[in-house]
Amino acid sequence: MTAQITPQPGIMDIALYEGGSAHIEGVEDVVKLSSNENPLGPGPAALEAFRASAASLARYPSSDHAELRAAIAETHALDAGRIICGAGSDEVIAFLCQAYAGPGDEVIHTEHGFAMYRISALAAGATPVEVAETNRTTHVDAILAACTERTRLVFIANPNNPTGTMIGGNALARLADGLPPQALLVLDGAYAEYVADYDAGAELVETRENVVMTRTFSKIYGLGALRVGWGYGPRAVIDVLNRVRGPFNLSTPALAAATAAVRDRDYTAHCRAENAKWRAWLAAELARIGVPSDPSHANFILARLRNPARAEACDAHLKSRGLIVRKVAAYGLPAALRITVGDESACRRVAAAMAEFMETAE
Ligand SMILES: *Cc1c(COP(=O)(O)O)cnc(C)c1O
């Protein structure tokens, strides 16, 4: 008998996710600016908590994440009972798709939206639906127009990756209120900590039954290696997600470091200020040499070159100078490069290398 082993429908439509690379053949002193990591790393309190957790590696981790949820709730003034923690916010996104979307259901994401929305929708057997943006910005009316009776989830990253743009609170509320009754709005706040006075949609979650917010420790907290994210939503939704969550999805070192990190508000504020300073500096330097970008609300800049060939050539030039940035053709932006805001030295190197490149012939 010939074996006929086939995966669930949709799985083979998933393109393998490519992380930002970290090495260049033959080039030393390489700076990785391709994954929006915090150039300052985690804070000292988080590192200390991580080290201390080595004493209890033989024990299974907490399964209810009570301490981390309490710390998050305290820092953000939220209800700890409506927080769910995941192995990265990627896992929370996957839980949402697994729990709320299946074959025949539609999952909306925006034109230049984060890749995991499409991947998780397909993994759940659902149909991803891409909605056009306007000037690289989420377009609420286009999303509402794309909703059908099959729409189950709508994913918006605000600020968005890789565009760095965001929409305001009124637009978000209009989106939540305009969705069909069976659709859940997911506000991905991976970069929310970089925006001053932005609650990432927490208020919308509090006042609506159809809004969930996701957050991560991979960006401003500098803990990408540990894989910690969380979600905040209506009690009924969080209860559903907890049923699909594995009991030990987060390791003890990850829980310990994240708990310390979210309590260390001074360090978070320091990282936010450094990012804002060097982001503004880099954007101005690029604009001065003829490389435009939209005002970014995150820890990266989407630099726009004249055409895809120029973006490729610019990427190659930056690589020759030891600078790894992110090509974003897969996000429908073939003429752009996403550049993480590094520390001062990295930003100065990027500006200098870009200036060299812009002096080369078209
Ligand atoms: C980086 C990023 C995440 C975070 O993913 P983790 O799984 O928490 O590391 C989520 N959403 C967006 C838009 C991102 O850019």
Side-chain angles (χ1 to χ4, degrees):
M1 203 175 72
T2 319
Q4 294 192 338
I5 316 292
T6 53
Q8 291 293 313
I11 303 288
M12 296 311 291
D13 295 331
I14 300 174
L16 290 179
Y17 185 91
E18 267 189 62
S21 51
H23 304 284
I24 308 172
E25 244 342 87
V27 182
E28 277 174 37
D29 201 9
V30 168
V31 191
K32 183 187 177 201
L33 302 170
S34 54
S35 297
N36 301 338
E37 293 146 340
N38 184 343
L40 308 177
L47 272 180
E48 181 47 39
F50 175 77
R51 287 199 188 94
S53 72
S56 51
L57 292 186
R59 304 231 177 272
Y60 270 93
S62 153
S63 63
D64 65 7
H65 312 145
E67 258 196 88
L68 175 56
R69 288 188 296 105
I72 291 169
E74 195 184 310
T75 295
H76 296 287
L78 304 174
D79 173 0
R82 291 191 282 133
I83 293 171
I84 180 168
C85 301
S89 47
D90 283 358
E91 194 183 37
V92 180
I93 292 167
F95 290 158
L96 283 160
C97 288
Q98 197 185 334
Y100 288 102
D105 295 332
E106 294 171 351
V107 174
I108 288 180
H109 64 84
T110 62
E111 183 181 359
H112 308 300
F114 186 48
M116 289 313 297
Y117 310 147
R118 176 184 159 82
I119 291 174
S120 291
L122 286 169
T127 305
V129 175
E130 180 181 306
V131 175
E133 299 182 15
T134 309
N135 296 322
R136 296 167 299 280
T137 308
T138 297
H139 187 183
V140 167
D141 292 310
I143 294 172
L144 292 177
C147 285
T148 71
E149 71 280 358
R150 294 169 177 242
T151 307
R152 301 299 306 272
L153 289 162
V154 175
F155 284 100
I156 303 291
N158 203 48
N160 185 43
N161 168 20
T163 57
T165 60
M166 71 185 293
I167 58 173
N170 290 340
L172 290 175
R174 205 157 59 76
L175 177 56
D177 294 340
L179 292 180
Q182 78 288 351
L184 186 57
L185 173 63
V186 184
L187 296 175
D188 180 339
Y191 301 95
E193 291 85 0
Y194 289 106
V195 187
D197 305 318
Y198 173 50
D199 74 354
E203 175 72 22
L204 267 191
V205 175
E206 302 291 11
T207 52
R208 308 290 192 284
E209 287 173 23
N210 65 340
V211 184
V212 170
M213 148 176 106
T214 62
R215 307 286 288 268
T216 184
F217 282 88
S218 303
K219 304 291 157 54
I220 206 165
Y221 297 105
L223 294 172
L226 291 182
R227 315 302 303 126
V228 189
W230 53 282
Y232 188 62
R235 193 169 295 280
V237 173
I238 298 304
D239 173 62
V240 165
L241 301 183
N242 268 318
R243 288 166 197 267
V244 297
R245 176 177 73 81
F248 305 114
N249 59 329
L250 289 186
S251 71
T252 300
L255 288 166
T259 303
V262 74
R263 290 208 166 110
D264 193 351
R265 299 187 206 194
D266 290 347
Y267 186 72
T268 309
H270 169 66
C271 294
R272 178 186 306 119
E274 282 296 298
N275 178 71
K277 175 177 170 186
W278 291 104
R279 181 182 64 199
W281 182 85
L282 184 58
E285 284 298 300
L286 297 187
R288 198 170 58 74
I289 59 173
V291 181
S293 58
D294 298 313
S296 169
H297 298 276
N299 66 339
F300 55 83
I301 287 171
L302 185 71
R304 301 205 302 278
L305 284 300
R306 207 179 303 285
N307 54 50
R310 284 293 277 176
E312 283 283 341
C314 184
D315 179 64
H317 178 77
L318 292 173
K319 268 208 178 66
S320 75
R321 297 293 183 266
L323 300 164
I324 304 179
V325 301
R326 186 65 154 248
K327 292 196 274 187
V328 282
Y331 285 87
L333 296 159
L337 295 174
R338 191 192 70 193
I339 307 171
T340 302
V341 177
D343 60 12
E344 171 172 1
S345 134
C347 287
R348 290 192 185 278
R349 279 176 66 179
V350 168
M354 290 288 278
E356 280 174 353
F357 175 75
M358 290 304 284
E359 279 162 21
T360 64
E362 293 274 316

